Amino acid sequence: MSNIDLSVDLQTDENSDDATGIVHQPEKVSKNWIGIDIEFAAKIDEYEALLANLLESETPSNAIILELLQARDAVEEVVQAKSKKSVDLLLRLPNLDQKLRNNEEAIAKSINLSLWRNILNPPSTYWWWFFDLPQIDFEVHQSNQFGWVWNILTIACLAGFTSFVSKVIPIVFAGGVSVFESIGMVGPGGMIALVVSSMQGGEGKRKIQQGLHDIGIPIRFQNEVTFAIALLLFVAGYFAQEKLPKIYFDNFVKEGETAYRKGKLLEAKENYEQALKIQNQERKDVAQIHTELGLLDESLGLLDNAQRDYLQALGLGNNEALNNLARVKISLGDLDGSETLLNMALQRAVPEDINELYQNYRNLGWVYLERKNYVRAEEYLEKALVYDKQIPAGIFGKGLANCFLAKVYEVQGKRAYRQWSLCVEFAQPETLNEYKAIIRMNSEVGKKINTKGIFN
């Protein structure tokens, strides 16, 4: 039909039938149909020409592909217009689309479609922009009509998991923030964002579905699988919150004990302090840590800090701190307070704890040596030696009874050489003030004994 014919058919001066005189309205609808057909034909022709251009090119450029895909966009806009279209033109479209699909792989290899999708943001129904992704059916399956319920449950589980992890991560990564800590904190939040995006529908939902499909999860099971993963994370997070603090507490304590035995006092102190940061541990365990910290401070000559830690340990029921606090008071010159604490410690001592009994008798001997009551000092120090012989070599504090007894013998005019020799061989003072006491008694012996337990 030509433009001239159109003008003649639709435009008359009188708009009437010559025979009947009946006036007719112009056929506006027919004119609209024809206009749409002309536009549709032009878009189809352009699409076909650009498709032929693609087929002729062995390595199509980005420009060729982008022109073709945008031409297909233009065809789609006309197709979606709510106007009647020529059937002949509509029948041409599937054949052209099939040719386009046949070149899917060549297009995907020649252009970064993901980049252009981010720039142009085409609707998910524009399948020609998604040739780099497997084409799957994203229709909602009948079994997923309650998908929103699964999504809410998934978010609840992930929120719980995040809460659990936030309590555990400071313990696990006490040494500082790491990339794994970042993943542990950000990961669950990212999963929640993905689920929310899926609930909102649109392109976000499609991308999530595509990703899950790529790893082998069918669309109809994706909501359930996502919830199952979130539930597993929730359960794992719960047990991590319940079990990991105790595991890490014990590990810090073990590391502290190892460092202390090696004479690495500052490292031991750091581990014990990390252990104290972990909440809700057994009272007796916390008390023991305060006792160990007091001993470390005492070894470093920090007597005020040592007293504070020992008093905290006593308040939590640790009787070992009685002996240690008494030793601090000897160093501070409070001999009466020291004797009182040592007598209390002896009353509460466990018969099987050889080292505790040794420490109690040895320190009582030290108290009486400072008082110059050498008879009582000798009595307690000889009792201490009975237990000292049962203590393995290398234990901090061992051998000091020999040093104190040597001084008692020396002052009384008795033979002290053997005790000084045993002092040099076995003595390992575990506090700075014990070492100072030996230096005051015999500076030459003090230069020879093992001070590994004091500074390192």
Side-chain angles (χ1 to χ4, degrees), residues 118-132:
N118 289 334
I119 295 173
L120 301 174
N121 195 27
S124 59
T125 55
Y126 282 28
W127 48 264
W128 47 93
W129 288 102
F130 298 91
F131 280 151
D132 57 332

Side-chain angles (χ1 to χ4, degrees), residues 334-359:
D334 184 4
L335 300 180
D336 290 340
S338 177
E339 183 178 6
T340 300
L341 291 171
L342 289 168
N343 284 326
M344 290 172 60
L346 276 174
Q347 291 174 1
R348 302 179 185 185
V350 178
E352 293 77 19
D353 194 336
I354 303 301
N355 189 55
E356 183 179 358
L357 289 168
Y358 161 71
Q359 295 266 358

Side-chain angles (χ1 to χ4, degrees), residues 306-319:
Q307 282 196 96
R308 181 197 62 211
D309 280 311
Y310 289 145
L311 286 171
Q312 285 181 304
L314 282 173
L316 292 169
N318 189 305
N319 291 328

Side-chain angles (χ1 to χ4, degrees), residues 6-72:
L6 178 63
S7 176
V8 171
D9 288 342
L10 299 180
Q11 299 180 17
T12 62
D13 293 333
E14 292 81 10
N15 292 328
S16 63
D17 189 302
D18 292 339
T20 62
I22 299 173
V23 177
H24 297 280
Q25 293 296 325
E27 297 181 7
K28 294 180 181 179
V29 176
S30 297
K31 183 178 180 181
N32 286 340
W33 290 353
I34 294 169
I36 288 294
D37 282 349
I38 293 172
E39 181 183 7
F40 194 17
K43 299 299 184 185
I44 286 284
D45 288 343
E46 182 183 7
Y47 177 32
E48 186 173 25
L50 290 171
L51 185 57
N53 191 16
L54 174 74
L55 297 176
E56 292 172 0
S57 177
E58 293 183 2
T59 55
S61 66
N62 285 357
I64 291 174
I65 295 172
L66 285 174
E67 281 189 308
L68 173 60
L69 298 182
Q70 290 186 92
R72 183 62 182 84

